[in-house]
Amino acid sequence: MKIVYFYQYFATPKGSWGTRVYEFAREWVKQGHEVTVVTSIYSKSDLTAKKFIEDQYFEGIHVKVLNILIDNKQSFYKRIWTFIQYSLMSSYYALTLKADVVIASSGPITVGIPGLVARYLRGRKLVFETRDLWPEGAIELGIINNKLVKKLSYWFEKQCYKASSYIVTLSPGMTKDIKRRFHISKVDDVTNAANIPLFSTPAPFPNSVVEPYNYAIYTGNIGMVNNSYWLFEAAKSLQKMGRADIAILLIGEGQQREELEEKAKREGVTNFIRLDLMPKDKLVGYIQKALVSLVPLKGTPVLDTSSPNKFFESLAAGVPVIQNTQGWMKDFLNEHQVGLTLNPNDPDELAKALIWMKDHRDEMQHMGTNAHKVAKRFFDKDYLADKMLKILQEVHASK
């Protein structure tokens, strides 16, 4: 098959971002398929470009790089402009690239534009990959408030699903939501994956400002959606409880990074520590030696369907998870006994949980062993790449 994948945030393991598309496409290429990814430059990826449009190759994957920079620290309108630029530019490739199946991977929802162009102007078979429930998430979080924009956004979402031969979601919660709202049968979840060999192979612990098993780790964006203030207030609570020996380590960047660092310095919260973004292979040692991995999100219903990379990578590393959504991740942690779900608005609860974990290493090691087992069973990248490939083959074979 010839597969064209529209995805704005492509990265390899040398970057500091999720590698789902890279891992899946590499596996499909190994099986003899041709894969072209049309992407842009994300600040957390490892891609760079000197020309406005460049053809690059990664282990047989053809990557068309549109030199349009997107950064989470950009203003709202600047980011919207980058989404529109990418969608309009990539629509040219929706018209010109040969494809048996086209994948449009959202968010942002604007990636549906090249998907619809490929479907209706070139008659390509479209698979829509839903990474976030756009625009529902943006509306619940107060990012989209205008009534007309809301109406247009919901209409566009419906058109993307209607045009698709199949819809792939990144979590069971998203699948359930789409089936309920749109009465679509051809929708299934292929969650984010974990590179089991990378995250389970023992890695050296870097010389660092934290000691092994004396810290909880958070990796990723530092911002409002990720409930980053919850982590700061928990570190502060630990100090008040006389347990500053337990640190909260953040590895990442984001809109709230500077203000939280300044706040920690001003208030003397020394166990709230941040390190810069780093490639996946450098990150592994920090995750493996963490007491627990933190997957915090703002307490809002749409985020209950989320599927963060850090959740899967932590389990692959044999590290339990603390998260605070009320959806499928909560059910998964409870069923397999690999972590805890806490109140997103109660930092004292998080502090007390970390103290218990630090003081009960035997129980935590048992939980970590379970975590690695379930990661191998449910979230191996090759297993999930094959699951999605079977969907693409079914779409290709359909009339």
Side-chain angles (χ1 to χ4, degrees), residues 335-349:
E335 180 181 352
H336 299 285
Q337 299 183 350
V338 291
L340 302 173
T341 296
L342 303 183
N343 185 334
N345 302 310
D346 189 347
D348 286 346
E349 185 184 31

Side-chain angles (χ1 to χ4, degrees), residues 368-387:
T369 300
N370 285 346
H372 179 64
K373 287 179 180 177
V374 298
K376 287 179 68 176
R377 180 179 172 188
F378 296 107
F379 305 128
D380 177 69
K381 62 182 178 61
D382 295 337
Y383 161 73
L384 290 169
D386 188 58
K387 181 178 180 180

Side-chain angles (χ1 to χ4, degrees), residues 63-76:
V63 181
K64 281 199 169 289
V65 183
L66 310 182
N67 198 352
I68 300 166
L69 176 64
I70 180 167
D71 190 324
N72 288 346
K73 297 176 76 173
Q74 290 170 336
S75 69
F76 172 74

